[in-house]
Amino acid sequence: MTTGPRMTTGPVDARGRALPRQADPSQPLLVVENLRTHFSLDGDTVRAVDGVSFTLQQGEALGIAGESGCGKTTTALSLVRLLPSNARIVEGSIRYFGIDLVQKSDEALRRYRWREISIVFQGAMNALNPVHRLRDQIVEPLRERLDLSPVAARKKAGDLLELVGIPRKRGSAYPHELSGGMRQRAMIAMALACDPAIVIGDEPTTALDVMVQAQILELLERLRRELGLSLVLITHDLSVIAETCDRVLIMYAGRVAEEGRVSEVFRAPRHPYTQKLLGAFPNIQADRRTLEVIPGSPPDLRHPPPGCRFAPRCPAAMAVCTEVVPPEVTFGGVRVACHLYPLGSDGEPVIVGSLARPVGAGDARSTATAEPVSR
Amino acid sequence: MTAAQLQGTAPRGVRVGAGAWDLLKRLLRRPEGLIGLTILATFTVLSLVPQLIAGPLQTAVTATGGRLEPPSGVHYFGTDELGRDMLNLTVHGARISLVIGLLATLVTVFIGVVVGIVAGFVGGWLDALLMRITDFFLVIPTFVLALILTPIIRDLVGSGATEVFGIRMTLIVIVIVIGITSWSSTARIIRSQTLSLRERAFVDRARVIGAGNGHIMRRHILPNVINLIVANAVLTFAGAVLTETTLSFVGLGDPFQPSWGQLLEAARSSGAPGLGAWWYVLPPGAGIVLVVLAFTLVGSALDDLLNPKRRGRG
Amino acid sequence: MKGGYLARRLVSAFITIVLITVVNFVLFRAMPGSPERVILRGTPNVTQAQLQAARQRWGLDKPVFPDQFVAYIGSTAQGDLGYSFIARGRTVTEVLGQRIWPTVVLFGLGELVAIILGLALGAYTGWRRGGPVDHVGNSLSLVLYSTPYFLLGMLFLLIFATTLRWFPTFGMLTAGMQYPGLWERAVDFLAHLTLPLATVAFGLVGQYAIVMRSSIVETLSEDYVTTARAMGLREGRILRHHALPNALLPTVSLIAINLGYVVAGAITVEVVFNWPGLGTLAVEALTARDYPVLQGVFLLLGVSVVLANLVADLIYGALDPRVRT
């Protein structure tokens, strides 16, 4: 897929895409360090994202999972500073090929939006403007951000539609005339318009039925391979992550609980929260067992508990958990923040609670969500 | 916390049939509610006991001053073209305007609620018919209709000196005419709410035990639209006062019971604006603006408190 | 698709106009006492013969339904609205025709100014929420909303005409003036037009600004605006291309719904400034109990409002593709 008119004399990434002049291709694609995004609400400060770090390599697919309200969407939106007026990034860095986006002014940051990092919102929402035709909405970033001529933009818009499996003719339709699945595809086409390096998917398959979900995921996977995209997938649905992502980041109450390769984390979850999440998964192959329910609810982020935020609900909580924030420790590619794995420990997973054995990654096939379904 | 909660845009809980005291307190906490209620309280006092504050209503015979005198130590608001004290006229005008407004609101809301609930609940051809009528009243210039209806009904009723709630029959006719012409927006709003209530479980439960339509409408639907009715009634009051004022201004008022609108009509026909007699225009005018403003403030605060969802077109 | 929407609106408008005519008819016949007495009011000692002649002349000797009704509908459809009681045998149509264009000028221009200013103000304050313009504009709009048009008119009169003497106090042209040329006439006309126009415009601006503002605020929080921001589009483009088209929708609805009410205000403004239009005509007819003229005004204004609503519906259909299917 050819890109828009760009100078190719500057830095380029692994795909040969031109990068912003300040970019350093030897640096990792995205390094987020100690990101803190806080909201001010009715005089209180909601610490929605409170010290999140991760790295994204070129061509990688990272899934960010967690309950509603754990801060995963806020984290993703912070990357392009798409925050409401009462939210601010108060600390941390977001380095895109070495360029710290947090330090950029609003106007300077605008340049990075869509051209380097784009977002696919839930198509079922009102993410498409109801009074404009589909192809006009795809043409818009092509003309406004890439300065394509009207003719070239229309042609490319048609190409993009076909790329995601929508017949070119359907471009003249309005959003309300399309099914949920087609709207989601259209959103993907829009997200690819400026040939970004990173595509963030914010719950891209929620509110779609299972068959359509599978199609969309297949599409994303195909596009990733063909275009060499890097994906950040936000979802509470672990099965989606199991199918499409290389690595997974489990968030809880604004912080990272566990992070690592999907195969490893799903095979041997270390953090008690991850274990609970995976245990809340109905396993078609396993013998009938009652679903694990995580008692309690996430903390109020206006007044988060000191120490580990999961401690109030953790079956393995120790005294230190309510006092000291657990340090992040890495074992063989998996990062955990839990006092069960202090600095210097061997990193062997500690099975918590009544979960007799860890669930294998291949068992995560149904569409159950991370939140437990009661019988 | 959900995204909506983080941004502070999530709807606050709507407790159906919330207690009146609790509502009042919440209302007073908002600045619009506080200002509005204070103004309304002041004018309510004025209209309950006008004699106590300004003495009996002055007539051409009992006028105490000369023609169109500017404000002075004797007549704080000056006098009108008959020499009557403007303060006296304005205070009594408060009572007349507000009582007419209240009565008209009662009629309007009554008709609107009945039509709205019946149309929304019964549905079918009755709903279609009622809504056609409602839409008709929404489209036509109801003011001109009122203009025509008032003299017709007045001739019908005759010009007795009977009074209802201390208001002469000529003005009661205005009450009725306002009621007949203003009920449609209330009907639409109540119908919407009825439609959504109809689908709720408690209606099915009532049907299962054999309750008839009328019973369900009265005992189940009505209590749940009370909140909406109250908010709507307050805004209707504002509209009723404006309508009565305008009708009086074009000559349909009663010179023996001058409402604020009637006072302004007298001001105009005696040439006050052209003569610079601002004291004839300002007091009744300020009264109208303050009262309508107060009702609008309270009404929209109530609307926010009781009905957080936004209403779309139609 | 579009044809269906258009057809439905046309049929609906037609039915409403027919209904207005029917109401008119019923009203006339609903008058107490025999209509003839009202017709011949002011004529003392009416004899039976005179009464009979009047009845025949006005077609009142035939049965009300269907004869009178059909006759009424028929003549109305042909534009024959009967004779004015007062204006010495001139037809209602003539009388209306004479007084219509001052109202059109005043009202039309007033709406135009109010729409342009109101929408612009509303869009700006909605976009820049919380600024000083927003607060002042909001409070001002609220107060204006609570002020009857005629009161505003009288205040303007007092301040700008009587006290400051910048503008004349009444009428459309200075009475008895001879104008050397068209320019002088036009200037005098404009001088007389200013205050009533300002009154109508001020009365409306507040409402339109408030609705546009809340519409823009709501639109700016929609998901497609978030998408547009994520795309890195400039704020100005987002406002113009994404927010405005959607925000206009409820505003167009409001303008249409409001027309019935604005008519009331326009009538009273004409009365305040003695502007020789349909409004003053209506009040004159009211005072003189000239019912045919009153009915003619009702019919004319009613039809105008219905047609204006139709136009608004069409504009809405053009703006919002969702209603066209």
Side-chain angles (χ1 to χ4, degrees):
Chain A
M1 186 94 205
T2 51
T3 66
R6 287 195 203 211
M7 311 251 295
T8 44
T9 50
V12 292
D13 65 4
R15 298 186 283 155
R17 264 179 81 253
L19 292 174
R21 265 169 306 137
Q22 302 165 359
D24 179 0
S26 64
Q27 296 280 339
L29 174 64
L30 192 69
V31 177
V32 176
E33 235 174 314
N34 199 27
L35 180 68
R36 288 180 205 274
T37 305
H38 293 175
F39 289 74
S40 62
L41 187 65
D42 290 336
D44 286 322
T45 304
V46 180
R47 306 161 74 105
V49 177
D50 220 13
V52 168
S53 311
F54 63 87
T55 305
L56 184 71
Q57 302 292 352
Q58 295 187 53
E60 209 177 23
L62 173 71
I64 305 185
E67 291 167 289
S68 311
C70 69
K72 50 192 195 298
T73 302
T74 309
T75 304
L77 295 182
S78 299
L79 298 180
V80 284
R81 215 183 291 170
L82 205 66
L83 299 166
S85 50
N86 61 336
R88 267 177 55 243
I89 300 177
V90 301
E91 213 182 306
S93 65
I94 301 173
R95 285 184 211 283
Y96 176 76
F97 283 119
I99 308 171
D100 188 1
L101 299 179
V102 175
Q103 299 301 325
K104 295 281 177 186
S105 68
D106 286 341
E107 184 56 29
L109 187 72
R110 211 169 51 78
R111 184 243 175 276
Y112 291 84
R113 287 186 181 159
W114 225 249
R115 290 183 65 175
E116 312 298 332
I117 307 176
S118 69
I119 309 186
V120 175
F121 295 100
Q122 285 188 50
M125 302 187 313
N126 227 356
L128 293 169
N129 196 326
V131 301
H132 292 317
R133 296 182 198 275
L134 202 52
R135 72 163 164 257
D136 293 332
Q137 303 198 43
I138 302 182
V139 160
E140 186 172 25
L142 294 172
R143 298 215 60 216
E144 296 290 319
R145 302 302 317 282
L146 295 183
D147 283 325
L148 291 187
S149 71
V151 174
R154 263 186 87 130
K155 176 169 188 316
K156 175 141 188 221
D159 294 340
L160 284 165
L161 284 174
E162 295 195 330
L163 183 67
V164 298
I166 299 180
R168 191 178 282 259
K169 279 191 310 172
R170 289 294 269 161
S172 60
Y174 287 97
H176 68 278
E177 297 172 319
L178 300 171
S179 68
M182 289 194 88
R183 286 207 291 270
Q184 195 66 61
R185 290 172 190 271
M187 288 242 55
I188 296 174
M190 260 166 68
L192 298 173
C194 298
D195 196 25
I198 306 175
V199 173
I200 303 175
D202 187 2
E203 307 272 11
T205 54
T206 314
L208 295 174
D209 67 63
V210 188
M211 298 301 298
V212 181
Q213 241 186 53
Q215 292 171 358
I216 299 292
L217 289 178
E218 217 183 276
L219 174 66
L220 281 174
E221 185 49 36
R222 177 169 66 84
L223 291 171
R224 185 162 81 92
R225 271 182 291 116
E226 286 180 15
L227 305 175
L229 286 174
S230 314
L231 275 183
V232 175
L233 222 58
I234 303 166
T235 178
H236 56 276
D237 187 343
L238 291 170
S239 63
V240 169
I241 294 185
E243 277 192 47
T244 31
C245 296
D246 304 315
R247 292 187 20 252
V248 61
L249 179 76
I250 309 276
M251 279 186 68
Y252 183 79
R255 295 219 174 113
V256 176
E258 189 165 351
E259 185 250 327
R261 296 206 67 76
V262 163
S263 48
E264 179 63 22
V265 171
F266 276 52
R267 181 192 69 79
R270 286 171 171 79
H271 197 287
Y273 179 60
T274 319
Q275 294 178 8
K276 287 293 183 182
L277 279 185
L278 293 168
F281 240 128
N283 180 352
I284 302 179
Q285 290 182 335
D287 9 309
R288 275 187 46 170
R289 204 183 332 132
T290 51
L291 280 178
E292 297 285 335
V293 173
I294 311 181
S297 55
D300 181 353
L301 293 175
R302 284 176 290 195
H303 312 284
C308 173
R309 291 185 176 178
F310 185 60
R313 296 166 82 188
C314 182
M318 305 172 284
V320 63
C321 299
T322 54
E323 291 160 25
V324 181
V325 175
E328 290 183 358
V329 192
T330 311
F331 315 98
V334 175
R335 185 166 42 117
V336 189
C338 177
H339 284 296
L340 287 172
Y341 311 91
L343 286 155
S345 69
D346 60 5
E348 280 304 306
V350 175
I351 313 302
V352 170
S354 58
L355 203 59
R357 56 178 174 83
V359 188
D363 296 337
R365 228 176 268 137
S366 74
T367 54
T369 67
E371 280 165 302
V373 176
S374 54
R375 283 247 188 241
Chain B
M1 308 189 83
T2 68
Q5 281 175 307
L6 277 174
Q7 281 189 268
T9 55
R12 322 260 158 165
V14 176
R15 253 169 57 228
V16 161
W21 264 135
D22 175 59
L23 191 62
L24 196 61
K25 278 188 290 184
R26 282 161 74 197
L27 197 56
L28 283 169
R29 250 182 260 140
R30 295 168 149 254
E32 320 98 72
L34 186 59
I35 298 176
L37 283 176
T38 315
I39 298 178
L40 289 181
T42 316
F43 280 101
T44 309
V45 168
L46 280 181
S47 47
L48 283 174
V49 284
Q51 269 104 339
L52 266 166
I53 301 173
L57 176 64
Q58 289 188 8
T59 64
V61 176
T62 60
T64 56
R67 181 169 196 263
L68 287 177
E69 289 175 359
S72 61
V74 179
H75 301 285
Y76 295 135
F77 285 176
T79 64
D80 72 348
E81 82 281 13
L82 297 173
R84 298 181 291 182
D85 178 35
M86 276 311 296
L87 178 60
N88 176 287
L89 289 177
T90 310
V91 168
H92 280 276
R95 183 186 75 87
I96 297 162
S97 293
L98 287 177
V99 172
I100 297 179
L102 178 66
L103 295 175
T105 305
L106 289 175
V107 176
T108 307
V109 170
F110 178 73
I111 302 179
V113 167
V114 166
V115 171
I117 292 186
V118 167
F121 190 75
V122 172
W125 64 269
L126 187 58
D127 179 25
L129 176 67
L130 286 173
M131 278 304 106
R132 206 65 200 66
I133 300 177
T134 308
D135 285 341
F136 178 73
F137 275 94
L138 276 175
V139 170
I140 63 171
T142 46
F143 181 71
V144 187
L145 184 61
L147 217 62
I148 303 179
L149 272 177
T150 308
I152 292 180
I153 300 185
R154 274 196 185 151
D155 289 341
L156 251 173
V157 162
S159 53
T162 42
E163 295 201 349
V164 178
F165 295 109
I167 301 292
R168 293 166 51 106
M169 277 315 289
T170 46
L171 296 176
I172 294 294
V173 171
I174 293 206
V175 167
I176 297 175
V177 169
I178 295 179
I180 296 177
T181 52
S182 316
W183 53 268
S184 16
S185 59
T186 306
R188 272 222 154 259
I189 295 170
I190 300 294
R191 173 182 175 272
S192 280
Q193 180 77 337
T194 307
L195 280 177
S196 59
L197 280 175
R198 190 173 67 165
E199 308 306 319
R200 298 249 302 256
F202 62 83
V203 172
D204 289 334
R205 264 183 250 135
R207 280 204 204 283
V208 164
I209 62 172
N213 273 351
H215 176 88
I216 299 180
M217 284 194 275
R218 254 179 309 115
R219 300 294 304 282
H220 294 275
I221 304 279
L222 187 58
N224 284 309
V225 294
I226 287 283
N227 287 344
L228 196 57
I229 295 176
V230 168
N232 183 260
V234 174
L235 289 171
T236 304
F237 208 133
V241 171
L242 275 177
T243 309
E244 178 273 318
T245 301
T246 317
L247 283 171
S248 295
F249 183 72
V250 295
L252 292 170
D254 188 336
F256 296 108
Q257 265 192 342
S259 66
W260 284 330
Q262 173 64 26
L263 288 175
L264 288 173
E265 196 278 328
R268 184 198 64 83
S269 58
S270 63
L275 294 170
W278 55 270
W279 57 90
Y280 204 160
V281 175
L282 227 44
I288 297 170
V289 173
L290 283 173
V291 163
V292 174
L293 185 65
F295 275 117
T296 309
L297 285 176
V298 172
S300 90
L302 271 179
D303 210 35
D304 280 341
L305 282 177
L306 297 173
N307 190 22
K309 290 193 291 270
R310 246 173 246 283
R311 270 173 257 127
R313 179 186 200 240
Chain C
M1 269 194 292
K2 184 85 187 278
Y5 179 71
L6 180 62
R8 268 181 286 134
R9 288 288 172 268
L10 276 174
V11 168
S12 177
F14 179 73
I15 295 180
T16 311
I17 293 179
V18 169
L19 279 178
I20 292 178
T21 319
V22 171
V23 167
N24 244 344
F25 174 79
V26 167
L27 284 180
F28 185 66
R29 296 295 178 256
M31 284 193 307
S34 40
E36 318 91 344
R37 254 179 230 294
V38 184
I39 298 167
L40 296 171
R41 225 177 42 175
T43 317
N45 304 323
V46 176
T47 69
Q48 266 301 96
Q50 281 174 313
L51 212 52
Q52 187 58 20
R55 293 187 70 162
Q56 266 189 318
R57 180 168 177 240
W58 292 86
L60 293 169
D61 49 347
K62 303 210 183 59
V64 175
F65 198 83
D67 296 58
Q68 288 195 38
F69 182 65
V70 171
Y72 183 76
I73 299 282
S75 52
T76 306
Q78 291 172 1
D80 173 14
L81 296 171
Y83 291 84
S84 161
F85 284 171
I86 303 308
R88 303 280 157 233
R90 281 165 57 217
T91 62
V92 171
T93 324
E94 267 179 67
V95 175
L96 289 178
Q98 224 188 11
R99 304 285 285 262
I100 190 174
W101 80 264
T103 301
V104 168
V105 168
L106 175 62
F107 187 49
L109 277 181
E111 272 275 11
L112 199 63
V113 170
I115 289 176
I116 296 175
L117 280 182
L119 295 194
L121 188 66
Y124 181 76
T125 52
W127 185 28
R128 297 226 179 282
R129 280 170 75 188
V133 181
D134 193 12
H135 285 129
V136 169
N138 245 358
S139 316
L140 209 61
S141 299
L142 211 52
V143 171
L144 276 177
Y145 181 77
S146 314
T147 313
Y149 292 19
F150 62 84
L151 179 61
L152 198 59
M154 288 207 275
L155 289 174
F156 281 172
L157 248 188
L158 271 170
I159 300 173
F160 296 105
T162 312
T163 316
L164 291 173
R165 296 190 176 280
W166 287 355
F167 298 99
T169 53
F170 65 88
M172 196 169 68
L173 295 166
T174 313
M177 267 277 274
Q178 297 289 28
Y179 298 98
L182 191 62
W183 174 253
E184 284 80 5
R185 191 185 168 97
V187 167
D188 195 32
F189 173 71
L190 285 176
H192 279 86
L193 177 65
T194 311
L195 284 185
L197 183 67
T199 309
V200 173
F202 264 85
L204 289 171
V205 155
Q207 273 176 291
Y208 294 164
I210 288 183
V211 167
M212 188 60 173
R213 179 190 183 278
S214 71
S215 196
I216 289 269
V217 166
E218 186 169 352
T219 312
L220 286 177
S221 66
E222 292 275 8
D223 299 319
Y224 50 82
V225 170
T226 311
T227 306
R229 290 215 172 97
M231 273 194 201
L233 301 176
R234 268 169 281 114
E235 280 295 311
R237 162 112 191 151
I238 297 179
L239 184 67
R240 264 192 345 256
H241 193 247
H242 286 277
L244 267 180
N246 282 280
L248 276 178
L249 300 176
T251 318
V252 168
S253 298
L254 172 87
I255 295 179
I257 291 178
N258 225 17
L259 283 167
Y261 298 117
V262 182
V263 166
I267 291 180
T268 59
V269 169
E270 286 192 13
V271 170
V272 169
F273 290 96
N274 233 298
W275 187 260
L278 290 176
T280 34
L281 176 66
V283 175
E284 285 163 19
L286 177 68
T287 321
R289 298 293 193 264
D290 190 348
Y291 285 108
V293 169
L294 261 182
Q295 289 174 252
V297 172
F298 180 55
L299 183 64
L300 184 59
L301 288 178
V303 169
S304 313
V305 171
V306 169
L307 289 180
N309 266 298
L310 186 64
V311 170
D313 277 343
L314 294 180
I315 295 178
Y316 194 93
L319 288 175
D320 188 354
R322 286 167 292 187
V323 300
R324 285 186 238 145
T325 35

